[in-house]
Amino acid sequence: MDKVVATAADAVADAGDGASFAVGGFGLSGVPNELIRALHAAGVTDLHVVSNNCGAMDSGLAVLLSAGRIARVTGSYIGANKEFARQYLGGELEVEMIPQGTLAERLRAGGTGIPAFYTPAGVGTQVADGGLPWRYDGAGGVQVASPPKEVREFDGTEYVLEHGIRTDFALVRAAKGDRHGNLVFARSARNFNPLAAMAGRVTIAEVEELVEPGAIDPDEVQLPGIFVQRVLALTPEQAADKGIEKRTVSS
């Protein structure tokens, strides 16, 4: 039951080229930076990533993206990541863009054994009808486009069929975790982390504070250890290393 691993390198040692990853985080909040850096150091490539975004500035998944290690992204936000946009429009990267709520539910569904579900999000758009550019040809044309999805009517309303997501691995970051893998997330860091953790066949959590089993009140557990296979305890310096995406000051 002790799921603690000694180093980040040990945690991702069995991840090979072409592996798929569900990765938690939103912007700079709740991003498993140490595990991502370990993947980068391991030299793995051709990765398929499922995450809300693909990193910001020089942190998070942007580390792997800038190194050309990511082949495909399933996400819902490109944002201000210019390198993400450049690789996508240049035909270097395949990108499946889906509504954010649909992405969240596809991860949750995959983690709970639900193969597919119907949602009204995207009906009447290219999300349902197909034709969204997944990969450009580098010259402005579309090389690979999304296929049409099944649309069905329930009680007079149309819904589109979406499939649950399962990945080889999941990387998440939690504020607190015990040796059994029970996790607690801090405020906005409880974004895509629990859902990503559920979707991974092997889920690895980096935790800012490692505690002994029983130290977390069962009512406070936000993700039970059944979903987590490995736990990495961060050093105090690593736990405190949190970037600010857009710094503002009061007048």
Side-chain angles (χ1 to χ4, degrees):
M1 291 294 291
D2 191 341
K3 302 176 182 180
V4 176
V5 293
T7 67
D10 292 338
V12 301
D14 56 345
D17 292 350
S20 59
F21 286 82
V23 183
F26 189 105
L28 302 187
S29 177
V31 179
N33 284 312
E34 296 306 317
L35 293 171
I36 291 171
R37 292 184 185 116
L39 266 186
H40 178 267
V44 291
T45 190
D46 195 31
L47 303 177
H48 292 212
V49 171
V50 181
S51 183
N52 169 67
N53 57 73
C54 205
M57 299 180 292
D58 58 351
S59 68
L61 287 170
V63 172
L64 294 170
L65 183 75
S66 298
R69 307 285 184 80
I70 298 177
R72 192 178 197 276
V73 176
T74 300
S76 58
Y77 183 69
I78 292 179
N81 190 326
K82 294 181 179 179
E83 178 61 15
F84 190 3
R86 187 197 67 77
Q87 289 190 25
Y88 174 42
L89 296 175
E92 301 173 25
L93 184 69
E94 186 167 304
V95 178
E96 179 183 0
M97 296 294 289
I98 54 179
Q100 195 166 87
T102 300
L103 174 62
E105 183 62 9
R106 286 182 66 184
L107 289 166
R108 191 196 70 84
T112 54
I114 299 171
F117 59 92
Y118 287 96
T119 173
V123 171
T125 73
Q126 287 181 302
V127 170
D129 300 340
L132 282 173
W134 278 3
R135 180 183 289 276
Y136 286 97
D137 62 7
V142 177
Q143 184 177 22
V144 181
S146 66
K149 299 176 181 178
E150 178 187 332
V151 176
R152 185 173 173 184
E153 185 176 305
F154 295 91
D155 297 325
T157 302
E158 289 188 326
Y159 297 82
V160 59
L161 183 70
E162 295 282 1
H163 291 263
I165 292 175
R166 290 287 278 162
T167 57
D168 300 323
F169 296 89
L171 306 179
V172 300
R173 178 167 178 147
K176 184 185 296 185
D178 66 20
R179 293 180 178 274
H180 292 175
N182 298 301
L183 304 179
V184 177
F185 304 92
R187 298 178 175 85
S188 59
R190 187 183 177 184
N191 40 48
F192 277 89
N193 274 303
L195 304 172
M198 294 169 72
R201 294 181 178 89
V202 175
T203 293
I204 311 167
E206 60 178 58
V207 300
E208 296 171 14
E209 180 185 1
L210 177 66
V211 299
E212 296 302 318
I216 303 174
D217 188 308
D219 285 338
E220 295 178 356
V221 172
Q222 294 168 344
L223 184 81
I226 190 67
F227 291 109
V228 179
Q229 282 68 49
R230 299 170 194 165
V231 176
L232 173 70
L234 299 179
T235 66
E237 293 75 22
Q238 290 169 337
D241 184 15
K242 299 178 182 180
I244 297 175
E245 189 168 357
K246 293 184 179 180
R247 191 179 298 273
T248 60
V249 294
S250 58
S251 58

